[in-house]
Amino acid sequence: MLTDKAKEVISSADSKMKGAIAFLDESLKAYRVGKANPAIFNKVTVDYYGTPTPIPQVASVTTPDAKTIAIQPWERSLIGAIEKAILDANVGLTPSNNGETIRCIVPALTEERRKELIKKAKGEGENAKVIIRNSRRDAVDLLKKAQKNEGMSEDTEKEAENEVQKITDKNIKAVDDLVAAKEKDIMTV
């Protein structure tokens, strides 16, 4: 039977692992994969009255069709600043405006760019796995300390370690699934 301490350690490790997966998921959403995706601009910031602010917080970002992203600033004076921010962010899009709306045409990806994106996605997946494994190691260390210093039984410690390993395996699989889905998305022409 797991003690409260063991359950606490397992829960903490699980939440750290899930945080790594959520971060990976958000990172992968920002990849430009040849079709219009407003999430590309979630991390692009524009100077809004002296404060770096993500574009979706100062403008409406929509996709009128599969190859176009339209950005409608809430203040017309921001058009130049948003265009500059898009160019500076190096997201591979060239903005153009008609005085009211900024349009970005999403070009088709080259084979080289697709391979580059897959490599980058796999790298981010590996980073998430490192965080998950580090969380596992920290949890196991805490369980060993609890057994040594707080009188947790060896059986309870081993059972908790096995539970941490199951959670680790499940989360590593989730990372692999996310990366595989993004790879498939990138390779779809």
Side-chain angles (χ1 to χ4, degrees):
M1 193 71 197
L2 292 176
T3 63
D4 288 342
K5 175 70 177 172
K7 288 178 184 172
E8 178 187 321
V9 169
I10 291 168
S11 173
S12 171
D14 191 35
S15 86
K16 285 178 189 168
M17 292 176 192
K18 288 201 180 351
I21 291 171
F23 183 80
L24 174 65
D25 192 32
E26 278 304 306
S27 295
L28 293 179
K29 281 181 186 171
Y31 282 33
R32 184 177 66 77
V33 293
K35 51 185 173 272
N37 180 356
I40 294 169
F41 297 117
N42 288 352
K43 289 192 169 100
V44 179
T45 58
V46 63
D47 185 41
Y48 186 64
Y49 296 108
T51 307
T53 309
I55 288 177
Q57 292 181 18
V58 296
S60 168
V61 182
T62 58
T63 52
D65 60 59
K67 294 284 183 196
T68 310
I69 300 175
I71 302 166
Q72 176 88 43
W74 293 319
E75 295 178 28
R76 214 179 273 199
S77 61
L78 286 173
I79 287 179
I82 291 174
E83 282 185 317
K84 183 178 181 330
I86 292 169
L87 290 170
D88 291 349
N90 197 18
V91 290
L93 300 174
T94 306
S96 64
N97 79 72
N98 63 7
E100 290 181 14
T101 305
I102 300 168
R103 292 199 180 283
C104 295
I105 305 299
V106 180
L109 290 177
T110 63
E111 190 65 28
E112 183 180 316
R113 179 71 175 138
R114 288 177 194 277
K115 287 178 179 165
E116 195 179 294
L117 281 173
I118 289 172
K119 189 174 178 183
K120 187 176 170 193
K122 286 181 177 178
E124 289 204 35
E126 279 308 311
N127 290 344
K129 287 180 185 181
V130 167
I131 292 168
I132 290 170
R133 288 186 200 111
N134 286 345
S135 298
R136 178 188 154 278
R137 186 196 61 225
D138 294 345
V140 169
D141 288 350
L142 284 171
L143 290 167
K144 287 188 190 305
K145 279 184 192 165
Q147 181 203 355
K148 189 176 183 183
N149 302 337
E150 298 172 24
M152 181 187 288
S153 74
E154 194 174 326
D155 288 346
T156 301
E157 187 259 339
K158 287 293 178 207
E159 183 183 344
E161 261 188 58
N162 288 338
E163 195 60 38
V164 168
Q165 186 60 50
K166 284 179 192 169
I167 292 168
T168 302
D169 294 342
K170 183 180 80 177
N171 286 304
I172 295 269
K173 184 181 179 335
V175 168
D176 288 338
D177 292 346
L178 272 175
V179 172
K182 181 49 81 174
E183 187 175 340
K184 184 176 182 239
D185 193 27
I186 291 169
M187 290 312 289
T188 304
V189 179

